[in-house]
């Protein structure tokens, strides 16, 4: 499934607006996403929804409307940037520690249980048994339970596995490795070989969006406890090679295409 317009818009803004103190004209955003097959109506609707969601602010210059990133959107993009270019998809420097979270919620708290499990899965946790979940390394699990108002019902520990524990078996039990590997295989199938898109800007934005989708739910399990030939290695190498090759021509296109203005962060709807 191709990335949705909001994801592509965030990729565009992350590449050419983030940390520059500028806003982008709505018309040039329409032109940019049009290169990816997104209609003008869909792009303008996306901009409006992102304003309502607190991701963008508007700034008027005469009859032209410009859109800039809010602090919330900038934080999301910085987090994604770190995940893509710093931590990466392959955990080769695991220190042997695990974060354990155990919880016990009243039977009637179905919504709270669903919310907690969703947040834990998003943060790299896998269910070991019952109300016991684990994630590699030190994860800020306390922040999760505090944000959900569940501190009184959860406990967090940092630990190491004893010698009698088969860590490989534990990983296979707690995580769906088949589904994880399938995301990387899908990325390789699409981007290995002839490029799926000829336009460098469209290709770069789509590449980054699809790579982010592949890695964002990866708990970054220690590589020594994953199956041989884990596809994340090859997929990450391919991503980095393609990203570098698309960058210069994409920047040249963006320089001609995007109308940018310095912004002051005030919504002038």
């Amino acid at each position: 499934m191709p990335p949705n317009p909001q994801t592509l818009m965030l990729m565009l803004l992350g590449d050419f607006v983030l940390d520059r103190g500028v806003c982008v004209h709505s018309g040039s955003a329409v032109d940019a996403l049009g290169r990816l097959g997104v209609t003008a109506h869909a792009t303008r609707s996306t901009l409006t929804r992102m304003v309502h969601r607190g991701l963008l602010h508007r700034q008027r210059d005469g009859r032209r409307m410009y859109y800039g990133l809010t602090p919330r959107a900038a934080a999301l993009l910085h987090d994604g940037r770190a995940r893509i270019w710093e931590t990466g998809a392959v955990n080769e420097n695991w220190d042997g520690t695990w974060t354990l979270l155990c919880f016990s919620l009243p039977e009637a708290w179905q919504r709270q249980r669903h919310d907690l499990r969703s947040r834990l899965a998003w943060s790299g946790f896998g269910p070991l048994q019952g109300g016991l979940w684990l994630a590699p390394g030190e994860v800020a699990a306390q922040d999760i339970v505090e944000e959900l108002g569940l501190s009184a019902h959860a406990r967090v520990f940092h630990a190491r596995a004893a010698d009698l524990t088969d860590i490989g078996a534990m990983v296979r039990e707690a995580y769906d490795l088949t589904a994880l590997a399938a995301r990387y295989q899908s990325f390789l199938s699409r981007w290995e070989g002839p490029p799926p898109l000829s336009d460098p800007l469209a290709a770069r934005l789509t590449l980054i969006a699809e790579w982010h989708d592949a890695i964002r739910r990866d708990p970054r399990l220690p590589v020594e406890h994953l199956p041989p030939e884990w596809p994340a290695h090859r997929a990450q190498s391919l991503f980095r090679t393609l990203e570098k090759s698309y960058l210069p021509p994409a920047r040249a296109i963006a320089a001609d295409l995007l109308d940018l203005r310095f912004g002051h962060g005030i919504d002038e709807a």
Side-chain angles (χ1 to χ4, degrees), residues 3-230:
N4 63 46
Q6 178 171 301
T7 298
L8 293 172
M9 182 66 70
L10 285 170
M11 297 304 103
L12 177 72
L13 299 173
D15 243 6
F16 304 107
V17 171
L18 182 64
D19 295 336
R20 296 180 61 187
V22 297
C23 301
V24 62
H25 176 234
S26 58
S28 57
V30 166
D31 292 341
L33 264 63
R35 302 173 82 97
L36 294 106
V38 180
T39 66
H41 174 73
T43 297
R44 294 186 187 280
S45 296
T46 296
L47 290 169
T48 300
R49 285 195 300 271
M50 292 176 73
V51 170
H52 292 159
R53 292 169 181 169
L55 296 172
L56 297 179
H57 66 84
R58 289 173 288 208
Q59 176 177 318
R60 188 177 295 279
D61 186 354
R63 299 180 63 183
R64 301 168 76 82
M65 185 67 78
Y66 291 79
Y67 291 80
L69 295 166
T70 63
R72 177 188 170 200
L76 288 172
L77 289 172
H78 279 128
D79 181 68
R81 178 182 286 180
R83 186 74 175 86
I84 291 171
W85 279 283
E86 295 174 20
T87 58
V90 182
N91 188 350
E92 297 179 302
N93 300 306
W94 180 56
D95 63 2
T97 62
W98 296 90
T99 297
L100 302 177
L101 184 143
C102 58
F103 63 89
S104 178
L105 304 182
E107 190 63 33
W109 288 17
Q110 296 299 319
R111 180 184 61 78
Q112 291 91 333
R113 183 175 287 104
H114 170 77
D115 290 346
L116 178 58
R117 287 171 174 168
S118 297
R119 289 288 300 276
L120 290 176
W122 184 261
S123 300
F125 282 84
L128 191 57
Q129 59 184 48
L132 180 61
W133 290 55
L134 84 165
E138 290 203 8
V139 181
Q142 191 64 39
D143 294 346
I144 296 173
V145 294
E146 286 178 355
E147 289 170 10
L148 294 174
L150 301 175
S151 297
H153 302 273
R155 300 291 183 269
V156 179
F157 304 89
H158 299 293
R160 292 177 178 271
D163 291 341
L164 61 83
T165 301
D166 184 336
I167 296 178
M170 183 176 70
V171 166
R172 292 191 297 273
E173 182 179 331
Y175 296 93
D176 187 346
L177 297 185
T178 300
L180 282 174
R183 284 201 287 271
Y184 291 115
Q185 293 290 3
S186 177
F187 180 86
L188 287 164
S189 296
R190 178 156 160 78
W191 292 97
E192 233 174 9
L197 297 165
S198 58
D199 182 284
L201 178 62
R204 178 175 167 81
L205 296 180
T206 304
L207 173 77
I208 298 174
E210 292 184 4
W211 177 245
H212 184 258
D213 185 62
I215 67 173
R216 67 191 179 117
R217 296 183 184 178
D218 188 333
R220 298 193 75 248
L221 297 164
V223 68
E224 61 263 41
H225 297 296
L226 291 170
E229 304 300 324
W230 186 246

